[in-house]
Amino acid sequence: MKFRSIFIILMLCITAIASKGQVPETKVILEKVSEAVKNIQSGEYLFHSRNSTMTSGEDTSVSYRKFQYGFEANPQDALIGYKIVSNPTEKNSVHTIFDGNHLYSNSTWNGNLEVADAVKDSLMIKNRKGTAGWSPLFFYLESQLRAYLKPALASKLKMLGTESVEGKDCYKFKFEANNPSGSSTELVYYVQTDSFLPVKMTASFKKPLGKVEQVQLFEYWLTNIVLNNKIDPKRFEKSSMSYVLEKKYIEEIDNPESLLKIGSKAPAWQLKSIEGKPVNSTDFAGKIVIMDFWFKSCIPCVEQMMALQELHSKFKDDQVVIIGVNTLDDPIKDKLAAFLKNRNIKSLNVIGGKAIEKRFNVVAAPTLYVIGKDGKVLYGLEGYSTSLVKDITDLIISQSR
């Protein structure tokens, strides 16, 4: 009888230990994540963002930022559902407030305040909701994890056990996808084992670029988390911001006057090639010139330059000239010649472009102009467009008629 009692006690202990160490099924954890996030009404945390670009045989570029973030449920707002304040901890960033009626974006480097209306500019605001770092990260990650509850995706999310994040044990999950083109995607999520709150995500994108492979790594995580607390309402008010000039969103972003006018005379310029040889705008008189303003760490810039190589191959140099205008990089320190060669970029590139940015009204990258044979602006584009090659091809053909 005594031995039987000892045996029963021993079995109970083993069962308890096994239960304690057992990791719940993925489906159970994801359901608990949704439940935990649903109960959050307000909160504050420090949001960390680190973006890295690594290319085989080249330097790695890393940018890191952190924001003091606060949010509070706003049932009257059907667009986002929360009041939001995101305050940068360093200069050269953007102080953001969304109060349910307006989105205020204050550029700390120049003091400009951009104001978007929640009704007129609802599409832009709604699109921002789907980006990490803008809406509360808990909700952003929960919406992604919830998708893996669907039968079609359930088997795609793999449990990798647990890992410590900022001193807290977290369940670790991974999603992988490979494309025939040779590119791949890897998403990793971290969920606290005690609260079931998603507190970190990494997204890795690999793709071949000419002769090299490029890896982009995006990391987002939270520290100093305080939930369901009372936040000072003044933090969600425009009056808490320090700014110099106020502009409406549509005026600052969508105003075509920010670029040189179509039909205006393109400014004259003189710069140097990567090899140090002088290059003058008059060297290309009588030709169609495509000027593409870029810098090395600008991913859309590099994608655009590579796309433009199709035009370089399609049209003869005595008809069309493509000029990459680098605005930031040092040709030797940043190894620009090797950078371009590894990506099979064979068009002309010049350096020191910052000196002519103002002349061409360049305030963002990439910015591109097509200049006609008569030296007048035919086309201007700020940002990257997937239809760029077709649009410019059609334009060049129309000029040959």
Side-chain angles (χ1 to χ4, degrees), residues 17-302:
I17 293 171
S19 299
K20 185 177 180 181
Q22 185 178 4
V23 176
E25 293 183 359
T26 297
K27 181 175 182 292
V28 174
I29 295 175
L30 298 189
E31 288 173 345
K32 289 188 176 182
V33 167
S34 294
E35 188 66 28
V37 171
K38 187 171 65 175
N39 292 326
I40 301 175
Q41 295 300 307
S42 64
E44 294 178 273
Y45 53 72
L46 199 59
F47 174 80
H48 304 259
S49 170
R50 180 164 54 219
N51 303 335
S52 309
T53 302
M54 298 155 280
T55 307
S56 51
E58 296 180 4
D59 297 333
T60 298
S61 63
V62 180
S63 64
Y64 168 75
R65 289 184 177 180
K66 57 183 177 180
F67 296 81
Q68 188 63 50
Y69 194 97
F71 64 96
E72 185 176 84
N74 185 14
Q76 289 76 37
D77 170 43
L79 189 59
I80 302 297
Y82 284 85
K83 292 182 179 180
I84 293 169
V85 56
S86 178
N87 207 341
T89 60
E90 69 280 321
K91 295 180 179 180
N92 298 326
S93 195
V94 180
H95 180 188
T96 303
I97 290 177
F98 179 69
D99 63 5
N101 298 312
H102 296 92
L103 169 62
Y104 302 103
S105 302
N106 184 17
S107 302
T108 58
W109 61 87
N110 60 13
N112 287 348
L113 177 66
E114 174 190 281
V115 182
D117 185 270
V119 177
K120 295 179 181 178
D121 307 309
S122 59
L123 181 59
M124 179 275 287
I125 295 173
K126 190 174 182 180
N127 287 338
R128 287 198 184 187
K129 181 183 177 180
T131 60
W134 198 83
S135 57
L137 191 66
F138 303 116
F139 304 99
Y140 174 80
L141 296 182
E142 186 275 333
S143 66
Q144 291 197 21
L145 291 169
R146 189 179 351 114
Y148 295 107
L149 288 171
K150 298 177 181 179
L153 288 175
S155 62
K156 303 293 185 181
L157 191 67
K158 305 298 182 184
M159 162 69 85
L160 300 181
T162 61
E163 185 174 311
S164 179
V165 176
E166 300 294 332
K168 286 271 193 176
D169 288 339
C170 292
Y171 298 116
K172 184 178 180 181
F173 300 94
K174 182 170 74 170
F175 166 83
E176 289 181 298
N178 297 302
N179 298 318
S181 62
S183 62
S184 65
T185 300
E186 179 183 289
L187 307 177
V188 180
Y189 304 92
Y190 299 83
V191 176
Q192 289 183 349
T193 58
D194 55 356
S195 66
F196 291 97
L197 290 175
V199 293
K200 182 178 178 180
M201 173 191 182
T202 65
S204 175
F205 303 96
K206 294 181 182 179
K207 63 179 178 180
L209 285 179
K211 301 175 183 178
V212 297
E213 180 183 70
Q214 184 182 78
V215 179
Q216 288 179 266
L217 179 63
F218 301 90
E219 303 171 84
Y220 310 110
W221 73 98
L222 309 179
T223 59
N224 302 354
I225 302 170
V226 180
L227 297 179
N228 295 323
N229 59 322
K230 182 64 177 176
I231 300 177
D232 184 353
K234 291 182 179 179
R235 292 185 61 193
F236 299 112
E237 295 178 1
K238 172 186 170 184
S239 59
S240 67
M241 294 178 147
S242 298
Y243 58 93
V244 177
L245 180 67
E246 180 177 333
K247 292 184 178 181
K248 290 183 179 180
Y249 163 76
I250 193 167
E251 291 178 352
E252 183 165 323
I253 302 301
D254 295 338
N255 186 359
E257 298 299 320
S258 62
L259 295 176
L260 297 178
K261 290 182 180 179
I262 303 301
S264 65
K265 192 73 175 178
W269 55 269
Q270 183 172 353
L271 296 172
K272 289 186 177 181
S273 69
I274 291 178
E275 296 76 22
K277 297 178 181 179
V279 181
N280 197 307
S281 55
T282 57
D283 297 339
F284 312 105
K287 300 179 183 179
I288 293 176
V289 178
I290 300 170
M291 294 186 70
D292 183 29
F293 290 81
W294 70 283
F295 57 90
K296 185 177 173 182
S297 60
C298 169
I299 301 302
C301 295
V302 178

Side-chain angles (χ1 to χ4, degrees), residues 253-269 281 289-293 325 353 356-364 366-372 375-383 395:
I253 302 301
D254 295 338
N255 186 359
E257 298 299 320
S258 62
L259 295 176
L260 297 178
K261 290 182 180 179
I262 303 301
S264 65
K265 192 73 175 178
W269 55 269
S281 55
V289 178
I290 300 170
M291 294 186 70
D292 183 29
F293 290 81
V325 183
I356 65 170
E357 279 185 325
K358 286 186 178 180
R359 288 184 228 172
F360 283 86
N361 290 359
V362 175
V363 295
T367 292
L368 179 142
Y369 286 103
V370 179
I371 300 167
K376 294 181 179 180
V377 177
L378 296 174
Y379 176 91
L381 176 67
E382 185 178 282
L395 178 62

Side-chain angles (χ1 to χ4, degrees), residues 314-331:
K314 185 179 293 186
F315 298 101
K316 295 180 180 179
D317 289 342
D318 60 351
Q319 298 174 329
V320 179
V321 178
I322 299 174
I323 305 173
V325 183
N326 185 277
T327 58
L328 288 180
D329 304 304
D330 183 284

